[in-house]
Amino acid sequence: MTTHRGRGRIGGVMTLSGWPISSEVGCANPRSNSCSPRLKPWATLRDFQGSARRARFLGGVGGVIVSVVACLCCSTAVLSAPIDVGTDPQLLLDDYVVDRVQGLTRTVHPPARMEQPILDSEHFGTFQPYLSVLYDAGRKRFRLWYNHGAALGYTESSDGIRWDPPRELNLPCTYSCSLVGDGDGGPDPKRRYKIAYWHRGGGNRPHGMCVAFSPDGLSWTPHENNPLLVTYPPDLTKVKAHEVGDIIDAFHDPFRKRYVVVAKLLSVTTDRFGPDPIPPGSYRRLVGITDSTDFAHWTKPRRIFVPDGKDEGRLEFYGMGGIHRRGSIWIGFVRILRDDLPCDPGGPVQGIGYTVLGTSRDGQTWRRDREPFMDRNHKPGTWDHAMTWVGTVLPVGDELFIYYGGYARGHKVERYKERQIGLARMKRDRYVSLTAGDESGLLVTRPIVFKGGVLTVNADVAKGGSVKVAITDEQGRELTGYAESDCATIAGDHLSAKVAWRGKSAITALAGKPVRLRFGLRSAKLYAFQFVSK
């Protein structure tokens, strides 16, 4: 057993502070497996080995550092249809644009968390890790909604860090509060803000997922037919696979023109997640997904995350929050629960929790990492010692603000006193890097076509290290003037370093033509690349 060690349209696809979205997905049918036929996803490569901190790449993603000891896949002589990357940023979270890798490691980079919570239970009445944060550009204010007792709580801030005294809004809300905003151009101003949440029914109404609408995010009108998705019955032997639980995370998918909810589902009596069946009267928390065209009529939820044979112990899920799109990849934060582990060796078994990355190329089929992106704080006595569960994220300038719930001593311990909301921050797009040490490493992309006229890289190069790029044809032959020997060395820490060959960065003449990129790295981390107009 391993105890993890380590420390536009608002609210859906985020466009704040120069983080654009694009409709280019690099495939005529992004839901088809033919979009990426050459490589298996990072999280589904063979059996995962090693501890939660490290595993060999060819054994799967199972650690913060995953060793790449050989070529990642086929020879460049085997061609596939070029991927249209347009001007989208290409994050190296998965292998969508990757053909070959040698001498590099896949490294997950946890964000830097603030030492103290930004919303505490004493002053803000926090007791759940669920929240929504939006930015009002017109008023230059951050707006935050969260669970406050049995109602929806609300507060504002000028910087996203220090928050005004809270107030309760007119919406009874038992658990979860995931908000989507349509922005100024929404079809119905009275429903500009939409919220999905779980609420205990009263009278003849059952428990389940409810929705409400608001013109301003302050005054709410619940849907008359709530709950729109019914929860499971108290008798766990009668649970059905599509009945939702009390963890709700919503987002908007503008490309499919759907609202999407990721929700807690429970296992059923016929499930097996290991050699032994689930004991009678017990269950596992799973993750499901449902969508809607109007935020009122929802499809039957289906599963997207369940435990499997690679997972240790009694692994469960607490939903997936912070779902957003960057370029052609959807990114989410999968909350992992281990109720079978103590916070400290020899201590009471009260559960721990941490967050891993989830990714999707179509918003419907999801894959998860195995290692923590945000682990719990292992320092005894800290406010987030037991659980670190990401609730939501917001791009702010060249950073990503990551708001998360922290529990002090365990899953069900003093929930009205020991559950707070914290903030972690990271530089733009720096979830995962391909990392080279003192020895040179190599990354070769699949054939791509691009728009724009300048290539930029998001990279952090150590002193004495380097990043160089060659542009080749589909067969891997260097193009005249764009050889690695022609490329100026990239050094230092840059979010958008322009790549130049023979003193010139313009590559407009190659736009729209199938090419490959070949990155040579030494003592460097490569997070992403992007073609821009200039």
Side-chain angles (χ1 to χ4, degrees):
M1 179 180 297
T2 300
T3 301
H4 293 283
R5 302 180 60 193
R7 312 152 300 268
R9 187 180 289 270
I10 317 171
V13 177
M14 295 180 289
T15 62
L16 174 65
S17 305
W19 289 44
I21 59 174
S22 170
S23 60
E24 297 166 358
V25 296
C27 180
N29 179 12
R31 300 188 67 179
S32 169
N33 290 333
S34 64
C35 293
S36 183
R38 299 169 56 91
L39 295 179
K40 295 181 180 180
W42 291 99
T44 58
L45 289 172
R46 298 183 184 177
D47 289 340
F48 287 78
Q49 300 172 347
S51 71
R53 276 307 195 187
R54 181 180 295 267
R56 294 183 182 277
F57 173 78
L58 294 181
V61 178
V64 166
I65 298 177
V66 183
S67 299
V68 181
V69 294
C71 293
L72 193 149
C73 74
C74 312
S75 165
T76 54
V78 181
L79 303 182
S80 59
I83 302 171
D84 185 355
V85 300
T87 56
D88 287 343
Q90 301 301 312
L91 282 63
L92 299 176
L93 280 159
D94 64 3
D95 54 16
Y96 181 62
V97 298
V98 176
D99 186 17
R100 289 195 298 124
V101 170
Q102 282 184 289
L104 302 177
T105 60
R106 182 185 190 268
T107 309
V108 175
H109 296 274
R113 67 183 80 193
M114 298 181 64
E115 185 175 350
Q116 298 299 325
I118 58 168
L119 272 64
D120 62 18
S121 57
E122 180 181 358
H123 299 96
F124 289 87
T126 55
F127 77 105
Q128 293 293 335
Y130 318 116
L131 71 158
S132 295
V133 183
L134 305 180
Y135 182 72
D136 187 330
R139 297 173 57 235
K140 297 182 179 180
R141 298 285 287 175
F142 293 81
R143 309 181 67 189
L144 186 152
W145 295 259
Y146 69 105
N147 291 121
H148 185 274
L152 183 64
Y154 177 78
T155 179
E156 292 191 0
S157 169
S158 61
D159 59 7
I161 302 172
R162 292 167 287 272
W163 296 87
D164 297 340
R167 57 172 165 146
E168 283 192 359
L169 303 182
N170 67 325
L171 182 66
C173 176
T174 308
Y175 297 121
S176 296
C177 55
S178 193
L179 187 142
V180 178
D182 284 338
D184 294 330
D188 186 350
K190 294 181 180 179
R191 294 188 170 191
R192 175 176 178 175
Y193 295 92
K194 301 168 175 60
I195 192 168
Y197 59 100
W198 189 91
H199 192 57
R200 296 185 187 279
N204 295 325
R205 288 184 180 268
H207 307 338
M209 188 191 88
C210 303
V211 304
F213 305 93
S214 172
D216 56 9
L218 300 176
S219 178
W220 292 92
T221 302
H223 194 283
E224 60 183 4
N225 294 326
N226 280 338
L228 302 183
L229 292 175
V230 177
T231 199
Y232 41 81
D235 184 351
L236 296 178
T237 64
K238 298 180 180 180
V239 171
K240 297 179 181 178
H242 60 270
E243 293 168 326
V244 301
D246 53 5
I247 304 172
I248 307 291
D249 292 280
F251 65 97
H252 183 260
D253 183 342
F255 307 102
R256 297 176 57 245
K257 297 181 180 180
R258 295 288 191 275
Y259 297 98
V260 184
V261 160
V262 174
K264 169 183 168 182
L265 304 180
L266 289 191
S267 59
V268 298
T269 54
T270 56
D271 282 325
R272 298 176 71 97
F273 300 121
D276 301 315
I278 299 173
S282 184
Y283 60 88
R284 292 279 191 96
R285 299 169 178 88
L286 314 176
V287 183
I289 196 167
T290 175
D291 59 41
S292 169
T293 58
D294 59 4
F295 214 74
H297 300 86
W298 296 88
T299 59
K300 181 179 291 187
R302 59 179 178 82
R303 296 175 177 182
I304 57 173
F305 291 131
V306 300
D308 58 34
K310 306 178 185 74
D311 295 314
E312 297 180 343
R314 186 186 169 89
L315 186 139
E316 300 180 79
F317 303 93
Y318 240 62
M320 177 171 64
I323 302 164
H324 64 289
R325 187 177 175 109
R326 190 74 175 118
S328 63
I329 190 169
W330 288 96
I331 305 167
F333 300 85
V334 185
R335 298 181 284 257
I336 303 296
L337 171 66
R338 290 291 303 275
D339 257 349
D340 56 339
L341 295 177
C343 280
D344 301 296
V349 178
Q350 296 171 328
I352 65 167
Y354 55 94
T355 300
V356 304
L357 294 170
T359 59
S360 175
R361 289 289 169 174
D362 61 7
Q364 292 292 292
T365 303
W366 287 85
R367 302 173 179 94
R368 61 182 168 101
D369 275 9
R370 304 283 170 161
E371 76 282 9
F373 169 70
M374 282 194 71
D375 205 349
R376 65 192 185 93
N377 191 334
H378 281 259
K379 183 179 179 181
T382 49
W383 66 274
D384 50 359
H385 183 46
M387 271 76 179
T388 293
W389 281 334
V390 171
T392 192
V393 300
L394 190 71
V396 180
D398 283 334
E399 287 186 289
L400 188 71
F401 278 22
I402 301 172
Y403 295 92
Y404 70 97
Y407 295 14
R409 290 186 294 160
H411 184 197
K412 301 293 186 180
V413 181
E414 293 286 0
R415 66 174 181 167
Y416 293 108
K417 295 181 179 179
E418 296 187 3
R419 297 181 180 181
Q420 336 280 344
I421 301 296
L423 174 63
R425 301 161 74 169
M426 76 173 201
K427 292 183 179 180
R428 185 185 69 220
D429 297 339
R430 291 195 169 182
Y431 303 98
V432 170
S433 71
L434 292 180
T435 304
D438 295 337
E439 300 296 325
S440 295
L442 175 72
L443 162 64
V444 179
T445 70
R446 291 173 58 189
I448 61 174
V449 293
F450 65 89
K451 295 181 176 66
V454 174
L455 172 64
T456 66
V457 297
N458 185 337
D460 184 6
V461 184
K463 185 178 180 180
S466 64
V467 172
K468 286 191 171 187
V469 188
I471 304 180
T472 77
D473 63 14
E474 291 183 271
Q475 287 75 29
R477 297 177 295 232
E478 291 183 335
L479 301 181
T480 302
Y482 299 101
E484 185 173 334
S485 59
D486 297 320
C487 184
T489 299
I490 296 171
D493 188 353
H494 306 276
L495 292 175
S496 299
K498 292 183 179 181
V499 183
W501 296 265
R502 298 182 180 178
K504 297 180 180 180
S505 59
I507 53 174
T508 309
L510 300 178
K513 299 178 180 179
V515 297
R516 295 179 187 261
L517 302 180
R518 190 178 70 222
F519 293 87
L521 285 72
R522 183 166 52 83
S523 299
K525 302 179 182 74
L526 178 65
Y527 298 91
F529 66 89
Q530 183 176 11
F531 294 92
V532 297
S533 59
K534 59 181 180 179

